[in-house]
Amino acid sequence: MREEQKAAHEIHTDFSKELSYGSYLQLDKILSSQHRLSDHHDEMLFIIIHQASELWMKLILHEVNAAIDCIRKNDLEPSFKMLSRVSRIQEQLIQSWSVLSTLTPAEYMEFRNKLGHSSGFQSYQNRLIEFALGQKQGHVLSVYKHDADLFKTMEDALRERSIYDAAIQALSMRGLPIDDAALNRDWAEPYEPNTSVEEAWLTVYRNVDQYWDLYELAEKLVDIGSKQQLWRFNHMSTVERIIGHKMGTGGSAGVSYLKKVVDHRFFPELWSLRTKL
């Protein structure tokens, strides 16, 4: 008992002039940011799931953008840790859909009308992640025109190289022949599969010892692309479970739109080469 009392006595308790856990994390702001628009109990779940997801997305962008910088500098190894972390974060996001799926259709209908036209379709961080991974869709920027600064941020991101564009550049820097059309294209346009890129990746996969770092980069990208697809699929399944085939609150086709999104594949040559190995 004396040992316990001694240990308790040694715990620091005076934070009147020092940084505390709560102040460091600004918990007063975070935990006071859940404002329900209805009196329904389950709206709190709906808000927190989406807020937590946005925090994880912020970390994904932090890691992916840093990885892109490393790859463009031909310093691949530091990017591996960053991309591994992205994969773990994606697992958290995938799991979040199972929590949201505890919301039943009848419960959601109790507060859905309060959301107006706000929708996850408008998540600019999710869109920035898609841009960073290579899915460029300029037409989606129209939903951000109400905020000039955000619109500028989105436009700039649309025109930046994706992580896959950076990886293709890394292939070229290692002496692998890549068509100019793949190296000097309009970064704002959707990426189109290129035969020279597929051949370069095939060379990497057939000569792992010689190109180990490029091989490791490719597998990190495949992992991220696969998990992004799984996140999309779980998103679509959860939406269908809760609202069926109703139109989305933001005006999208809802589940029909999400099913089309699931069909898109990131880093296409890293998938097609598997058949040809």
Side-chain angles (χ1 to χ4, degrees):
M1 190 64 178
R2 290 179 180 177
E3 290 297 321
E4 291 178 2
Q5 290 175 339
K6 181 180 178 181
H9 180 73
E10 292 175 351
I11 294 174
H12 193 88
T13 59
D14 183 7
F15 292 96
S16 58
K17 296 180 180 180
E18 292 190 51
L19 184 69
S20 70
Y21 173 82
S23 57
Y24 171 65
L25 296 177
Q26 299 191 54
L27 292 181
D28 55 336
K29 295 180 181 177
I30 295 173
L31 299 179
S32 61
S33 296
Q34 294 74 46
H35 304 293
R36 288 184 290 170
L37 300 178
S38 74
D39 294 327
H40 198 276
H41 172 85
D42 291 325
E43 190 181 354
M44 185 64 75
L45 162 69
F46 191 80
I47 293 171
I48 289 177
I49 283 290
H50 288 87
Q51 287 183 337
S53 294
E54 290 292 337
L55 285 172
W56 284 125
M57 288 179 190
K58 182 172 183 176
L59 186 53
I60 285 178
L61 288 167
H62 177 71
E63 300 295 342
V64 169
N65 288 329
I68 290 172
D69 287 341
C70 289
I71 297 166
R72 292 189 64 183
K73 294 173 184 175
N74 202 29
D75 187 17
L76 303 188
E77 289 201 15
S79 74
F80 301 157
K81 175 67 175 292
M82 299 165 187
L83 298 178
S84 291
R85 183 173 292 160
V86 169
S87 296
R88 299 295 180 89
I89 298 167
Q90 288 174 307
E91 290 173 4
Q92 297 295 317
L93 288 168
I94 291 166
Q95 173 61 23
S96 71
W97 293 121
S98 69
V99 182
L100 187 59
S101 68
T102 64
L103 180 68
T104 68
E107 291 163 345
Y108 183 46
M109 288 305 112
E110 290 291 326
F111 61 87
R112 186 177 191 245
N113 67 321
K114 299 290 187 180
L115 304 180
H117 291 298
S118 64
S119 166
F121 180 86
Q122 299 146 19
S123 170
Y124 67 87
Q125 289 199 123
N126 182 50
R127 200 65 68 183
L128 288 172
I129 290 170
E130 291 184 343
F131 287 177
L133 297 184
Q135 187 176 13
K136 301 295 183 73
Q137 294 178 306
H139 66 88
V140 303
L141 298 189
S142 60
V143 300
Y144 309 111
K145 284 186 175 179
H146 65 284
D147 185 327
D149 291 339
L150 176 58
F151 187 77
K152 177 66 164 53
T153 297
M154 302 301 291
E155 273 193 319
D156 290 345
L158 183 72
R159 296 190 176 99
E160 285 291 328
R161 283 183 176 89
S162 72
I163 194 166
Y164 195 50
D165 291 317
I168 292 170
Q169 181 185 45
L171 291 171
S172 178
M173 291 174 70
R174 291 291 288 276
L176 293 162
I178 303 292
D179 291 344
D180 186 69
L183 289 172
N184 297 293
R185 64 186 194 84
D186 183 350
W187 313 120
E189 291 298 316
Y191 177 79
E192 295 292 337
N194 182 281
T195 301
S196 70
V197 172
E198 183 181 68
E199 288 299 320
W201 284 125
L202 279 167
T203 299
V204 169
Y205 274 72
R206 287 167 176 157
N207 301 274
V208 173
D209 291 342
Q210 182 180 353
Y211 298 107
W212 181 88
D213 53 350
L214 289 169
Y215 171 75
E216 184 70 7
L217 173 61
E219 285 299 294
K220 296 295 185 189
L221 293 179
V222 168
D223 196 27
I224 289 172
S226 179
K227 284 189 171 65
Q228 193 70 7
Q229 289 298 90
L230 185 55
W231 179 86
R232 287 171 159 185
F233 179 81
N234 284 17
H235 180 193
M236 180 268 293
S237 298
T238 303
V239 170
E240 186 171 20
R241 175 172 177 161
I242 296 174
I243 67 167
H245 287 262
K246 292 184 180 70
M247 182 178 288
T249 49
S252 74
V255 169
S256 297
Y257 167 77
L258 295 175
K259 284 184 176 179
K260 291 179 182 178
V261 170
V262 169
D263 288 338
H264 172 267
R265 176 154 274 175
F266 298 95
F267 325 132
E269 292 89 352
L270 293 180
W271 294 97
S272 61
L273 71 81
R274 282 156 161 75
T275 305
K276 296 185 178 181
L277 273 175

